[in-house]
């Protein structure tokens, strides 16, 4: 069945822009990226894009020079339905892996027929969970797909033959029959979960296997015709002397029968790109290592026998760095043309003629471009969040300090373009181990800056990206070195003329929530208020939050970060803000998720209970009914951030002139809160709270709020 | 964190030596004998719980009959001692999930005499074709419930957290705050 496609307008027209002082409504900021990714066909002539608009995930296709796109796949996002992966299999065939109705996984094959400047599609669905491993572009109608083998709890690597799937009656029986004829490249291998395939022969040459107690990597030895294990790590790492939880070892590609290229920090501090000898099981050459940062990704050409690019967060900004001069110059040219700091080549045609570019930085959530080499033409495709186009966002200034261990501590201070002294919100990140704050677009940070607050984020000891020693230095530092690092950078920030040192609050989530409350105890003069989302406040409770926390694996994981409860109980208690609640003197705002299995809401309930009992610090507590360690959809974030801004305005209000336009946005925000309480969505239905926020919305100009007030029987507004 | 997911099993015969416990209503003056402990548990589940089976000095089956529609707590009494929650019967008396302590999940409780023993919020979530079963420590919720409904009981006997496992000194801490008042 050929389907003629209705055209969609690809490019949105920008018709207005906002002043930098214009508030952004919470329901425009806290939304998903509308345009999420693009892929280019092997011949460079057709592009596929993925969007998320009005509750639908959608794939659309368009010619490389066309301004009109056509929808080729659409999925509502109710009941967890979602697109898992998509790509081109050849110049006129694409695939989509998705979770569809009744929690069932499907693979859709889409055949394109191009005619003049138009195309039609035909498609069929196959039941099963599969992800493309290699499109086998050199072989017609073949592709390698990793497909879940639920019975054996492994992934199978199947060589699809699309010619066998076309022109059949598509049903489960026929699919099963035809799939049984496909070559299974991993048939005799157990517990396979990761495949590395040769780009020239399309043979399987390296695998990752996951067993109950350990993971391994093996290469295929063509001389002996057998698989040779070259790396093993026990999952119960306490028994493994040569491997720690902070070690990284990720193979990138096989180079020859004796060597692979891998990302590794084993026996070194920073994650580097290394040439690894599989016989001696040791690095033989460091291909790239940064002095300051962990490498996060790399590309290596086997043909050229050289490293092509590496990626790492350079002063908080993820960057792709090309190692040959030509590519590097090309990238510099793109950076200059686009005007954003971080430019990634995300796809290219096989011919090398066409590139897909994604560019972003802290002031921009991202823009997609198509570049044609022959014409030297860079064409803007779409912004990832086009609705935010009218607003301006801010980049951070890098602040650094040296901590007591002699480590450089990096932080990012966002101040916008205010010339007046600004109140500041310090935002310690979660973790605390293995998480990194980036100098990239962050909805919460930009929302707070937009509402008049400077924001400081800090990569304190324990943060990832700065090497293993730095990460390890954050272990068992709850209420100690981590907060000292934060304080040191906060002191530096508040000495700046733009920051109003009398108006500083601290707001964090997860570990950041712990740190926020703890910092007010350790540094009592610094903060005027504290906010915690999904925080932990009773460290021994981490071990007794549920009976499942009593298992050795869970205890081991918690003690690695927090400290051993059997030997350090008193220390854990002493570093718990709950048990020092009488020292919490500032207004405190707490958020928790009823279904949070990481920071159980009991932590926040306890602190709320005790602070109310002691009665010396004002405390507000919100327990979200459907949230876990975060919110299942954006409505929760909107409630949380509007409430945060309200709370900050009460305690460290910025000096802003509220324009008529901004009053409308404030009305919109309050109206949203009013509806949450009115309907009992996210929080318990509460008509008093609903009335309070609807009145505020109405007083700021919302006529819609008046309607709901009347429904509540309120007429005196 | 490992998930504890098991499939429900069908049983044909019930063991004959299980004593059934009932809830104490709010109106009753609960005065357990000296070797007994008052036991408080809450059911917090997306799956209908019929009853829990406790095995220890004796074997008890605690049916999930809410005494009113306002809350999900059961208040009863056991002889003091250490018990395992061995079975969670779901939907009806015929289907159960086998529990029992193992390396991944500790189902022991230690009932102290002459105390109000809160043992946790018993939680079953359906995960795929199995269930994730756990007993969560929500002491604050239990405390607030008891203060509202059984203030006399906790004043007379004192509330303790009786789930086996690492110490939890929250209630002791609250007592110390009372002393400072």
């Amino acid at each position: 069945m050929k389907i003629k496609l209705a055209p969609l307008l690809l490019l949105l027209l920008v018709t207005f822009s906002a002043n930098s002082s214009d508030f952004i409504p919470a329901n425009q900021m806290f939304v998903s990226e509308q345009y999420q990714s693009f892929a280019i066909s092997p011949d460079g002539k057709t592009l596929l894009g993925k969007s998320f608009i009005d509750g639908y995930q959608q794939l659309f296709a368009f010619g490389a020079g066309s301004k009109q796109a056509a929808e080729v796949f659409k999925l509502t996002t109710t009941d967890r339905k979602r697109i898992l992966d998509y790509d081109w299999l050849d110049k006129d065939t694409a695939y989509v892996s998705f979770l569809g109705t009744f929690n069932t996984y499907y693979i859709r094959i889409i055949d394109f027929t191009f005619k003049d400047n138009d195309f039609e599609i035909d498609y069929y669905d196959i039941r099963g969970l599969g992800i493309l491993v290699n499109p086998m572009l050199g072989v017609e109608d073949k592709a390698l797909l990793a497909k879940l083998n639920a019975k054996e709890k492994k992934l199978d690597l199947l060589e699809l033959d699309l010619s066998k799937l076309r022109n059949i009656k598509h049903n489960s029986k026929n699919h099963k029959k035809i799939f049984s004829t496909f070559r299974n490249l991993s048939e005799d291998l157990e517990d396979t979960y990761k495949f590395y395939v040769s780009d020239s022969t399309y043979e399987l040459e390296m695998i990752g296997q996951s067993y109950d107690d350990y993971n391994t990597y093996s290469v295929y030895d063509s001389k002996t015709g057998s698989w040779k294990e070259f790396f093993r790590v026990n999952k119960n790492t306490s028994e493994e002397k040569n491997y720690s939880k902070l070690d990284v070892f990720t193979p990138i590609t096989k180079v020859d029968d004796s060597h692979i290229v891998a990302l590794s920090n084993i026996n070194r501090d920073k994650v580097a790109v290394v040439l690894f000898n599989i016989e001696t099981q040791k690095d033989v050459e460091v291909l790239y290592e940064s002095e300051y940062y962990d490498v996060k990704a790399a590309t290596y050409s086997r043909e050229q026998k050289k490293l092509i690019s590496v990626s790492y967060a350079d002063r908080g900004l993820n960057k792709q760095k090309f190692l040959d001069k030509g590519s590097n110059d090309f990238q510099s040219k793109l950076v200059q043309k686009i005007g954003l700091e971080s430019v990634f080549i995300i796809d290219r045609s096989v011919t090398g003629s066409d590139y897909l570019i994604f560019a972003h930085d802290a002031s921009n959530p991202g823009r997609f471009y198509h570049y044609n080499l022959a014409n030297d033409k860079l064409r803007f495709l779409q912004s990832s969040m086009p609705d935010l186009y009218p607003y301006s966002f801010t980049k951070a200034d890098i602040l650094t300090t040296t901590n007591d261990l002699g480590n450089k501590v990096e932080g990012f201070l966002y101040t916008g373009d205010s010339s007046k002294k600004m109140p500041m919100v310090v935002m310690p990140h979660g973790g605390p181990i293995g998480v990194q704050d980036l100098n990239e677009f962050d909805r919460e940070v930009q929302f707070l800056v937009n509402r008049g607050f400077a924001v400081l984020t800090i990569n304190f000891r324990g943060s990832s990206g700065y090497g293993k020693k730095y990460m390890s230095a954050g272990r068992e530092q709850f209420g100690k070195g981590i907060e000292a690092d934060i304080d040191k950078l906060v002191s530096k920030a508040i000495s700046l003329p733009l920051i109003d040192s009398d108006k500083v609050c601290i707001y964090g989530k997860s570990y950041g929530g712990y740190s926020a409350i703890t910092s007010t105890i350790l540094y009592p003069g610094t903060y005027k208020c504290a906010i915690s989302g999904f925080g932990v406040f009773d460290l021994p409770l981490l071990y007794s939050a549920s009976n499942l926390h009593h298992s050795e694996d869970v205890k081991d994981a918690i003690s690695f970060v927090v400290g051993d409860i059997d030997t350090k109980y008193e220390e854990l208690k002493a570093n718990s803000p709950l048990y020092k609640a009488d020292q919490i003197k500032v207004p405190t705002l707490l958020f928790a998720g009823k279904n949070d299995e990481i920071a159980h809401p009991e932590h926040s309930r306890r602190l709320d209970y005790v602070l109310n009992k002691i009665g010396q610090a004002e405390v507000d507590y919100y327990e979200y009914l459907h949230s876990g360690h975060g919110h299942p959809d954006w409505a929760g974030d909107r409630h949380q951030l509007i409430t945060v801004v309200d709370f900050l305005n009460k305690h460290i209000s910025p000096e802003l002139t509220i324009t008529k336009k901004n009053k409308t946005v404030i009305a919109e925000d309050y109206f949203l809160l009013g509806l949450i309480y009115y309907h009992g969505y996210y929080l318990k239905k509460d008509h008093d709270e609903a009335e309070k926020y609807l009145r505020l919305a109405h007083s700021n100009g919302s006529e819609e709020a008046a309607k709901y007030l009347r429904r509540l029987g309120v007429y005196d507004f | 964190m490992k998930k504890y997911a098991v499939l429900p099993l069908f049983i044909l015969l019930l063991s004959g030596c299980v004593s059934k416990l009932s809830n104490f209503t709010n109106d009753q003056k609960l005065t357990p004998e000296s070797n007994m402990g008052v036991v408080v548990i809450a059911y917090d589940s997306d799956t209908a719980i019929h009853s829990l089976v406790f095995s220890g000095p004796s074997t008890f089956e605690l049916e999930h009959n809410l005494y009113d529609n306002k809350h999900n707590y059961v208040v009863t009494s056991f002889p003091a001692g250490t018990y395992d929650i061995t079975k969670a019967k779901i939907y009806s008396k015929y289907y159960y999930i086998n529990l029992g302590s193992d390396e991944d999940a500790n189902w022991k409780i230690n009932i102290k005499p002459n105390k109000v023993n809160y043992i946790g919020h018993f939680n079953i979530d359906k995960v795929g074709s199995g269930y994730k079963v756990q007993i969560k420590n929500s002491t604050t919720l239990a405390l607030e419930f008891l203060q509202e409904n059984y203030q006399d009981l906790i004043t007379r006997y004192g509330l303790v957290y009786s789930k086996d496992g690492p110490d939890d000194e929250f209630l002791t801490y609250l007592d110390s705050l009372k002393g400072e008042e």
Side-chain angles (χ1 to χ4, degrees):
Chain A
M1 178 185 64
K2 299 276 185 204
I3 299 172
K4 180 75 182 158
L5 300 156
L8 302 170
L9 187 65
L10 177 63
L11 298 175
L12 295 182
L13 298 174
V14 178
T15 54
F16 69 99
S17 62
N19 293 320
S20 61
S21 58
D22 285 350
F23 285 176
I24 303 168
N27 58 11
Q28 275 190 40
M29 181 63 108
F30 297 99
V31 292
S32 298
E33 286 88 356
Q34 286 169 285
Y35 292 88
Q36 301 176 330
S37 58
F38 285 82
I40 194 160
S41 62
D43 61 1
K45 290 183 178 168
T46 318
L47 287 89
L48 267 180
K50 182 184 162 200
S51 63
F52 178 55
I53 297 171
D54 296 334
Y56 288 93
Q57 283 201 352
Q58 192 184 29
L59 290 182
F60 52 92
F62 55 102
S66 172
K67 283 185 179 170
Q68 280 198 330
E71 173 194 300
V72 294
F73 181 81
K74 191 176 188 180
L75 193 66
T76 67
T77 48
T78 53
D79 304 327
R80 299 176 61 232
K81 283 183 276 202
R82 63 190 187 277
I83 295 172
L84 304 172
D85 190 33
Y86 73 95
D87 209 341
W88 290 95
L89 299 182
D90 57 40
K91 64 180 169 40
D92 52 12
T93 311
Y95 104 108
V96 193
S97 174
F98 65 99
L99 180 59
T101 47
F102 304 117
N103 249 354
T104 306
Y105 292 98
Y106 294 94
I107 299 152
R108 175 168 294 187
I109 306 292
I110 304 172
D111 285 316
F112 289 73
T113 306
F114 297 100
K115 201 175 175 186
D116 301 325
N117 288 326
D118 206 354
F119 58 82
E120 293 175 335
I121 63 162
D122 194 3
Y123 69 85
Y124 48 92
D125 290 342
I126 298 153
R127 208 167 153 162
L129 173 58
I131 299 290
L132 182 71
V133 172
N134 192 304
M136 296 181 69
L137 294 173
V139 187
E140 182 70 17
D141 277 341
K142 295 276 180 81
L144 291 173
L145 185 86
K147 190 166 181 290
L148 180 68
N149 179 337
K151 198 174 164 190
E152 294 182 30
K153 292 181 181 169
K154 60 177 269 201
L155 291 176
D156 284 333
L157 185 64
L158 300 181
E159 188 181 283
L160 298 190
D161 185 343
L162 300 176
S163 65
K164 287 185 180 174
L165 285 165
R166 287 196 191 100
N167 307 317
I168 61 160
K169 192 175 177 189
H170 289 286
N171 57 40
S172 296
K173 195 178 161 191
N174 281 344
H175 288 152
K176 203 171 176 183
K177 196 171 152 190
I178 290 171
F179 264 70
S180 69
T181 67
F182 292 158
R183 190 160 78 104
N184 183 347
L185 280 71
S186 60
E187 192 169 14
D188 300 325
L189 297 166
E190 294 175 337
D191 300 287
T192 40
Y193 75 98
K194 205 165 182 183
F195 301 111
Y196 296 80
V197 173
S198 160
D199 278 330
S200 52
T201 64
Y202 305 119
E203 287 301 325
L204 183 58
E205 53 185 14
M206 189 157 63
I207 50 169
Q209 290 165 291
S210 180
Y211 298 91
D212 285 344
D213 297 327
Y214 57 90
N215 289 338
T216 63
Y217 285 107
S218 303
V219 289
Y220 186 69
D221 185 340
S222 51
K223 286 177 203 149
T224 61
S226 60
W227 287 91
K228 189 189 286 179
E229 180 184 310
F230 64 87
F231 187 81
R232 173 183 292 219
V233 57
N234 281 351
K235 286 179 183 171
N236 184 357
T237 50
S238 59
E239 290 174 11
E240 185 71 27
K241 286 176 185 165
N242 299 321
Y243 192 84
S244 96
K245 284 185 167 73
L246 303 179
D247 282 347
V248 171
F249 185 84
T250 311
I252 294 170
T253 185
K254 181 181 170 183
V255 175
D256 54 42
D257 281 345
S258 305
H259 299 91
I260 65 151
V261 172
L263 291 178
S264 170
N265 67 358
I266 294 173
N267 300 323
R268 66 184 64 254
D269 184 46
K270 308 283 188 302
V271 177
V273 189
V274 299
L275 188 66
F276 184 86
N277 186 310
I278 56 177
E279 311 286 348
T280 61
Q281 303 191 359
K282 283 183 180 157
D283 304 349
V284 287
E285 188 185 342
V286 177
L287 302 178
Y288 188 88
E289 184 173 26
S290 158
E291 191 180 344
Y292 305 108
Y293 305 114
D294 289 325
V295 177
K296 294 183 175 181
T299 52
Y300 182 88
S301 166
R302 253 161 82 170
E303 278 177 9
Q304 299 173 49
K305 284 196 181 269
K306 70 173 188 183
L307 196 60
I308 302 297
S309 73
V310 292
S311 303
Y312 53 89
D314 180 2
R315 286 170 293 171
L317 192 64
N318 276 314
K319 283 187 173 172
Q320 184 178 27
K321 180 177 176 179
F322 287 91
L323 301 170
D324 73 282
K325 193 177 176 306
S327 300
N328 205 22
D329 289 348
F330 171 53
Q331 193 190 35
S332 301
K333 190 170 90 176
L334 291 174
V335 169
Q336 204 174 16
K337 273 192 171 185
I338 293 169
L340 296 174
E341 289 180 58
S342 188
V343 170
F344 279 80
I345 295 170
I346 54 170
D347 201 3
R348 69 181 80 201
S349 62
V350 172
T351 54
S353 60
D354 294 84
Y355 295 80
L356 283 180
I357 315 289
F358 180 65
H360 67 108
D361 61 25
S363 68
N364 196 305
R367 290 160 73 87
F368 293 96
Y369 294 85
H370 169 223
Y371 177 77
N372 180 271
L373 189 64
N375 303 327
D376 188 24
K377 193 173 171 187
L378 184 72
R379 181 184 171 223
F380 170 63
L381 295 177
Q382 191 51 274
S383 290
S384 61
M385 298 176 76
D387 287 351
L388 294 181
Y389 189 84
Y391 303 104
S392 59
F393 299 101
T394 185
K395 290 181 189 177
D397 292 321
I398 315 286
L399 285 190
T400 58
T401 189
T402 303
N403 66 15
D404 60 314
L405 302 175
N407 300 131
K408 188 169 95 171
V409 179
E410 251 178 15
F412 309 106
L413 180 64
Y414 302 82
T415 54
D417 55 4
S418 173
S419 53
K420 290 180 187 165
K421 266 188 179 292
M422 297 179 83
M424 182 171 76
V425 183
V426 179
M427 288 182 67
H429 65 66
I433 306 298
V435 177
Q436 181 181 20
D437 261 325
L438 294 169
N439 179 15
E440 295 189 345
F441 184 80
D442 181 292
R443 291 174 178 81
E444 276 189 277
V445 168
Q446 296 295 342
F447 189 70
L448 293 176
V449 174
N450 175 259
R451 297 302 172 99
F453 302 96
V455 173
L456 177 67
T457 62
I458 300 150
N459 281 323
F460 46 75
R461 69 186 72 179
S463 304
S464 60
Y466 301 89
K468 206 158 53 178
K469 274 185 210 148
Y470 193 72
M471 214 169 5
S472 190
R475 292 179 57 201
E476 301 186 25
Q477 290 299 310
F478 280 56
K480 295 188 262 184
I482 292 176
E483 280 62 43
D485 286 359
I486 293 168
D487 180 63
K488 201 151 188 205
L489 213 57
V490 168
S491 300
K492 191 163 182 175
I494 60 181
S495 69
L496 298 172
L498 191 60
I499 302 302
D500 186 342
S501 60
D502 288 331
K503 288 185 174 179
V504 181
C505 283
I506 182 163
Y507 164 38
K509 291 184 289 185
S510 194
Y511 178 82
Y514 165 90
S515 190
I517 304 299
T518 302
S519 292
T520 69
I521 298 171
L522 295 174
Y523 307 100
T526 306
Y527 302 104
K528 293 289 179 289
C529 66
I531 307 167
S532 162
F534 318 99
V536 295
F537 310 112
D538 180 349
L539 299 183
L541 177 64
L542 289 168
Y543 291 89
S544 64
S546 140
N547 63 321
L548 303 186
H549 289 218
H550 301 177
S551 78
E552 284 309 311
D553 283 354
V554 177
K555 273 177 81 173
D556 189 41
I558 299 170
S559 67
F560 183 79
V561 177
V562 184
D564 179 42
I565 189 158
D566 295 327
T567 57
K568 296 178 179 171
Y569 184 92
E570 288 306 321
E571 194 182 323
L572 295 184
K573 201 177 150 204
N575 289 321
S576 299
L578 176 74
Y579 298 107
K580 295 191 281 192
D582 58 332
Q583 296 173 49
I584 299 170
K585 304 273 168 75
V586 298
T588 299
L589 174 61
L590 305 172
F591 300 99
K594 184 177 179 288
N595 304 320
D596 193 341
E597 301 266 330
I598 296 166
H600 280 228
E602 178 65 9
H603 288 274
S604 297
R605 290 174 195 147
R606 286 183 179 192
L607 189 60
D608 174 55
Y609 185 94
V610 169
L611 287 177
N612 274 307
K613 197 174 174 64
I614 294 170
Q616 65 183 14
E618 170 195 329
V619 58
D620 292 316
Y621 175 48
Y622 297 88
E623 186 168 315
Y624 294 108
L625 301 175
H626 309 295
S627 301
H629 200 56
H631 301 294
D633 61 50
W634 292 109
D637 295 85
R638 290 172 199 155
H639 177 277
Q640 187 175 324
L641 265 293
I642 296 168
T643 309
V644 164
V645 167
D646 234 18
F647 182 78
L648 292 171
N649 278 334
K650 194 172 161 189
H651 300 291
I652 54 165
S653 179
E655 288 176 35
L656 294 177
T657 309
I658 305 296
T659 61
K660 199 177 169 190
K661 205 169 172 186
N662 285 347
K663 267 185 89 170
T664 310
V665 174
I666 292 169
E668 211 174 309
D669 285 352
Y670 281 140
F671 180 61
L672 205 147
L673 293 198
L675 286 193
I676 284 174
Y677 292 109
Y678 180 87
H679 292 296
Y681 180 62
Y682 259 93
L683 288 156
K684 279 183 188 157
K685 194 180 270 193
D686 186 334
H687 283 178
D688 290 341
E689 285 292 292
E691 183 186 331
K692 177 180 133 188
Y693 286 109
L694 290 169
R695 277 183 185 276
L696 284 166
H698 182 260
S699 68
N700 281 283
S702 169
E703 281 309 310
E704 195 70 8
K707 272 194 229 167
Y708 280 87
L709 282 167
R710 281 191 283 270
R711 284 182 199 173
L712 288 170
V714 178
Y715 298 97
D716 60 332
F717 48 85
Chain B
M1 183 175 68
K2 280 196 175 180
K3 287 179 178 171
Y4 191 84
V6 287
L7 290 171
L9 300 173
F10 183 74
I11 55 162
L12 295 171
L13 294 169
L14 286 173
S15 166
C17 52
V18 177
S19 304
K20 286 195 177 176
L21 294 164
S22 57
N23 303 332
F24 288 91
T25 72
N26 202 8
D27 301 330
Q28 278 179 284
K29 178 109 174 162
L30 183 56
T31 314
E33 292 170 23
S34 61
N35 64 335
M36 303 278 276
V38 177
V39 174
V40 178
I41 186 170
Y43 291 92
D44 180 16
S45 173
D46 67 0
T47 302
I49 299 172
H50 172 269
S51 60
L52 295 180
V53 176
F54 295 81
S55 299
S58 311
T59 301
F60 296 107
E61 184 172 350
L62 186 57
E63 289 191 354
H64 179 212
N65 300 318
L66 298 183
Y67 77 84
D68 60 31
N69 292 324
K70 288 180 186 165
H71 64 74
N72 54 341
Y73 288 84
V74 175
V75 181
T76 186
S77 67
F78 285 8
T82 297
Y83 296 81
D84 270 311
I85 308 175
T86 52
K87 287 173 189 168
K89 294 185 181 175
I90 53 173
Y91 306 118
S92 75
K93 63 183 180 181
Y94 298 111
Y95 292 88
Y96 67 78
I97 298 169
N98 245 335
L99 305 172
S101 292
D102 60 27
E103 61 171 19
D104 289 333
N106 173 3
W107 290 104
K108 278 190 196 314
I109 56 170
N110 302 310
I111 303 301
K112 294 172 189 71
N114 297 307
K115 289 282 177 197
V116 179
N117 296 265
Y118 165 65
I119 58 177
H121 274 55
F122 193 86
N123 176 259
I124 302 181
D125 282 330
K126 201 162 188 331
V127 180
S129 55
Y131 296 92
K132 180 179 179 183
V133 189
Q134 61 182 320
I135 187 157
K136 292 181 180 176
N137 179 350
S138 297
T139 300
T140 311
L141 293 182
L143 174 65
E144 286 171 339
F145 163 75
L146 291 166
Q147 282 175 333
E148 199 176 325
N149 297 280
Y150 289 87
Q151 182 58 54
D152 174 56
L153 194 69
I154 54 173
T155 305
R156 276 189 290 138
Y157 294 102
L159 176 63
V160 291
Y161 178 60
S162 296
K163 177 73 195 69
D164 183 63
D167 286 349
D168 180 2
E169 296 186 23
F170 177 56
L171 291 169
T172 316
Y173 170 61
L174 289 185
D175 285 342
S176 75
L177 290 179
K178 268 185 215 163
E180 289 167 15
E181 279 170 2

